[in-house]
Amino acid sequence: MHLIPATYFLLASIYGGAWGIARLLVRNVGPVRAQLATHGARRQVTLDGLRGVLALAVMCCHAMLTYEWIQHGTWGGPTMLIPEGLGETAVMLFFMITAFLFWDRMLDRGATMDWRGFFVGRIFRLCPLYFLAVAGIVGLALLHQRGHLVVPAGEFRRQVAAWLAFTVRGSPNINGLRETAVVVAGAIWSLPYEWLFYFSLPVLGFVLTRARSSAAMIAGLVLMWGFFRLKAHHSVDRIALLPFASGILAAYWTRIPVLATAAKSKAFGLVALAALATALVTCRTPYTVLPAVLATPFFLAAVCDSPLLRGVRGAEARWLGEVSYGIYLFHGMAIWIATRLILPRLTDVHALGPTAHLVMDVAIAALLLPIVSVFHFAVEKPGIEVGQKLARHFTRRRGATAVAGGPLPALPNPADPGQASERSLRGGAAPADQCARAVPAISRRQSDSSSGSDGTSR
């Protein structure tokens, strides 16, 4: 079976298995139904569902790369044109989602943007689940050496610290586990770019929007300096930052009713899908200018709720979106455990053909979804709620301080980008005829993004 045709079958199989499990969870698990019902009233469901689709695309890519790795000992290669482009294009779209949501929030809130609440929300959104993933990596590295340290204790601490810092300083092997990054299928690389975008927002907001805060701008500059200082020996791919610009463009695009209506049309959607397919088929790596440009129309169609994307608005896709950060962080670990710890006890993994590998990948996808759903309710959601409470606390303190010097408009919840924004914060309400023409994306009922590479946006 040739790998490129096998990719399409693998995609269909993984998506089918994940959709089936998601359907069971949505129909039979009360907390899942309750959360979707709560979020559905105030979220942009197209982006929610798209995140789930993108996370599974990354998993499919890494499943194929793992097959190559087992068979040939190399991670990726020239035969992986479609899978490699698929996974990296998905990450590129995650970056666009992140930039769109938070730039849009800046435009909405202007001078009332609560930067302290924003960063608190980001920390509690991304860190708890990520630290759980790092704990899993460390546990596997120790298990690999039968519970013994094979490196000096100080070196072991430095290795773990590098991973806890979102691999900004690199992703060193832990405790002698060769190619530790493969444990998570190398997916962590995108998270430093998410953080760099967050750090840059107060600076860009000060220069380009009304979200001007001198203190936040200085803090952003210091954080960016620290980021580049830590990453001094590891290059930053500037082309990988280009999708963030596309997300910013989308935030302005949806504010112009004529453009938003055009992007919602079927004709625009068909052109956007053709451009995205061209990027996947013809571009050897997405991290050049052309693939980012070709993917941008697809993202514009998504944020404007193109009818061609109605398939990602169902409850199953939306739940996949809710747990997309967990899928992104843990799918590589699940594949690694299966191929390095479980299957070698049962058979020769090098003798597995594409069909057997496909069956394994579908089983992993089916088992992974309930696991990351548990992680969502046990770790991810409580972390988000703590961040929201702290952010509301900062908002109340800011409001109380403002009252002493004169009244200010009520501030939105800075931890919840899904909260409907007040048009008055942008200098007045939109005319009724414009609002009638505007697409649902303009209502600003948007979902929180992982990275998250999100996913991180994922």
Side-chain angles (χ1 to χ4, degrees), residues 427-444:
D433 60 335
Q434 290 185 355
C435 291
R437 293 195 304 268
V439 296
I442 302 179
S443 68
R444 308 296 162 225

Side-chain angles (χ1 to χ4, degrees), residues 157-182:
R157 286 193 293 270
R158 284 190 292 272
Q159 292 167 354
V160 175
W163 279 86
L164 289 174
F166 285 83
T167 67
V168 172
R169 298 191 68 176
S171 51
N173 294 333
I174 297 178
N175 198 36
L177 177 58
R178 195 168 67 91
E179 296 180 309
T180 299
V182 177

Side-chain angles (χ1 to χ4, degrees), residues 130-155:
Y130 175 76
F131 290 161
L132 179 63
V134 172
I137 295 169
V138 173
L140 290 172
L142 290 171
L143 180 64
H144 180 70
Q145 304 293 353
R146 300 183 182 277
H148 300 293
L149 283 181
V150 298
V151 297
E155 179 65 20

Side-chain angles (χ1 to χ4, degrees), residues 2-282:
H2 195 267
L3 284 180
I4 290 177
T7 302
Y8 302 118
F9 190 57
L10 177 63
L11 266 174
S13 301
I14 286 183
Y15 278 110
W19 235 262
I21 298 299
R23 189 174 185 83
L24 289 175
L25 292 174
V26 169
R27 287 188 171 187
N28 299 293
V29 180
V32 172
R33 291 198 306 273
Q35 182 160 323
L36 289 178
T38 301
H39 288 178
R42 56 182 177 83
R43 300 270 286 256
Q44 194 193 50
V45 295
T46 301
L47 291 189
D48 276 350
L50 181 60
R51 286 187 299 150
V53 171
L54 297 177
L56 290 179
V58 173
M59 180 177 179
C60 178
C61 170
H62 290 156
M64 297 296 288
L65 289 172
T66 300
Y67 178 80
E68 280 280 286
W69 183 54
I70 291 172
Q71 297 298 320
H72 307 295
T74 58
W75 187 256
T79 61
M80 303 306 297
L81 177 61
I82 297 294
E84 187 74 11
L86 178 71
E88 293 185 351
T89 301
V91 174
M92 189 163 56
L93 288 166
F94 271 127
F95 286 163
M96 292 183 190
I97 292 174
T98 293
F100 169 73
L101 291 173
F102 292 108
W103 196 268
D104 188 70
R105 184 202 291 194
M106 271 203 320
L107 294 177
D108 276 346
R109 299 182 181 177
T112 66
M113 182 75 178
D114 184 353
W115 289 108
R116 183 163 53 173
F118 165 74
F119 281 110
V120 167
R122 290 294 86 202
I123 290 170
F124 282 91
R125 173 68 179 89
L126 295 181
C127 289
L129 204 59
Y130 175 76
F131 290 161
L132 179 63
V134 172
I137 295 169
V138 173
L140 290 172
L142 290 171
L143 180 64
H144 180 70
Q145 304 293 353
R146 300 183 182 277
H148 300 293
L149 283 181
V150 298
V151 297
E155 179 65 20
F156 177 74
R157 286 193 293 270
R158 284 190 292 272
Q159 292 167 354
V160 175
W163 279 86
L164 289 174
F166 285 83
T167 67
V168 172
R169 298 191 68 176
S171 51
N173 294 333
I174 297 178
N175 198 36
L177 177 58
R178 195 168 67 91
E179 296 180 309
T180 299
V182 177
V183 174
V184 286
I188 305 301
W189 74 267
S190 66
L191 297 181
Y193 288 90
E194 295 269 348
W195 282 110
L196 178 59
F197 177 75
Y198 299 147
F199 296 158
S200 71
L201 272 178
V203 181
L204 295 174
F206 189 91
V207 176
L208 300 175
T209 75
R210 294 191 302 148
R212 298 187 179 97
S213 166
S214 298
M217 182 192 67
I218 293 171
L221 288 172
V222 170
L223 289 169
M224 291 174 68
W225 174 84
F227 178 93
F228 285 109
R229 182 72 181 269
L230 288 173
K231 210 168 174 62
H233 303 295
H234 305 276
S235 62
V236 174
D237 187 348
R238 281 180 256 179
I239 298 298
L241 300 175
L242 188 58
F244 292 104
S246 296
I248 292 171
L249 169 67
Y252 290 105
W253 186 285
T254 59
R255 284 174 151 69
I256 303 173
V258 173
L259 296 179
T261 302
K264 191 178 181 180
S265 68
K266 288 185 178 180
F268 188 97
L270 289 172
V271 171
L273 289 172
L276 183 65
T278 301
L280 289 172
V281 172
T282 64

